[in-house]
Amino acid sequence: IIIALALTMAIIPLFFQSYNPRCGNCTIEVIFDECNSTDDEEELCVVRGNLTVANVLFFIGFSMVFIMLIFGTVAMVWVYVHVRRQETKTKRYNFRGVQRDNHRESKRIRKILLLYTMSLYLCWGIFAAMVALESLGSIQIVYGIRVVFKEAFPPLLGFFNMLVYFLPKCLKYQQDHPGTWLTIAYFHVLCPSVNCTYCISKTRSGEKEDAVGASGINFA
């Protein structure tokens, strides 16, 4: 369904010449110019494209973004509540040590869900809110800021989700190698076969400090 809908929305503007340049981009736009049939110089007419098709496709695309945000939010909230209820239910039958482990695991899952939701709203929510406010005539967004949130952040959603997905492994790597920065932990987790001279020296220096501290302990 998604592929068919995307192909339909991409092919329809071709028949109405609605793909037009705008500030270096090829978007679904309508080109206006002065009308030759009237004496009013301020009146503009459509010279290329179809205004109805552009408005309908804009409405459909905008609605899909909001549906995605609502669905993602509802799904995350449902999983969050389910995990919280499961933790509360298991408290009745588990020992204290097991309860502590379950609480730690539940907290970790809830944190991951929150990070996924934040990345979704950062990449699509801010842009959707700006477009909605501009469409309602409430505010006028600076063009540069609008382009940044439209062109840069939506493609980064996959990158942010990747960072969230590998975050537990990176935190575990930091626990196994104290003193390691989170960026270096990401490098080791994502590229385990690549040697980093600075990373190795940093790890060895941390191990050396641990060894010196251990040698100075007097058990007498």
Side-chain angles (χ1 to χ4, degrees), residues 12-23:
I12 288 178
L14 294 175
F15 297 98
F16 297 93
Q17 297 182 343
S18 295
Y19 282 115
N20 295 302
R22 180 184 180 184
C23 298

Side-chain angles (χ1 to χ4, degrees), residues 71-140:
F71 177 79
T73 304
V74 172
M76 293 299 177
V77 170
W78 184 84
V79 175
Y80 183 93
V81 173
H82 178 74
V83 172
R84 188 65 177 173
R85 287 180 178 176
Q86 191 70 20
E87 179 188 1
T88 305
K89 186 183 298 184
T90 54
K91 283 183 180 179
R92 307 173 185 174
Y93 310 102
N94 293 332
F95 296 102
R96 187 178 300 274
V98 179
Q99 290 180 3
R100 191 182 301 112
D101 296 337
N102 290 336
H103 177 70
R104 188 184 300 112
E105 182 67 16
S106 175
K107 186 177 180 180
R108 184 187 69 83
I109 295 175
R110 284 181 275 135
K111 182 176 70 174
I112 294 297
L113 291 175
L114 180 62
L115 291 175
Y116 275 124
T117 307
M118 289 177 58
S119 64
L120 176 64
Y121 275 93
L122 176 63
C123 294
W124 284 102
I126 297 177
F127 171 68
M130 290 192 303
V131 174
L133 292 176
E134 282 187 335
S135 301
L136 296 175
S138 302
I139 59 174
Q140 185 66 30

Side-chain angles (χ1 to χ4, degrees), residues 115-174:
L115 291 175
Y116 275 124
T117 307
M118 289 177 58
S119 64
L120 176 64
Y121 275 93
L122 176 63
C123 294
W124 284 102
I126 297 177
F127 171 68
M130 290 192 303
V131 174
L133 292 176
E134 282 187 335
S135 301
L136 296 175
S138 302
I139 59 174
Q140 185 66 30
I141 307 297
V142 179
Y143 180 75
I145 298 177
R146 190 173 184 273
V147 169
V148 168
F149 281 99
K150 177 184 178 182
E151 304 294 340
F153 278 92
L156 290 176
L157 178 61
F159 175 75
F160 290 144
N161 288 340
M162 182 268 295
L163 294 180
V164 176
Y165 178 80
F166 286 104
L167 180 61
K169 294 183 179 180
C170 296
L171 295 178
K172 186 177 183 304
Y173 186 90
Q174 281 187 310

Side-chain angles (χ1 to χ4, degrees), residues 185-198:
Y186 268 108
F187 182 84
H188 278 287
V189 170
L190 297 177
C191 305
S193 60
V194 179
N195 293 325
C196 177
T197 306
Y198 175 76

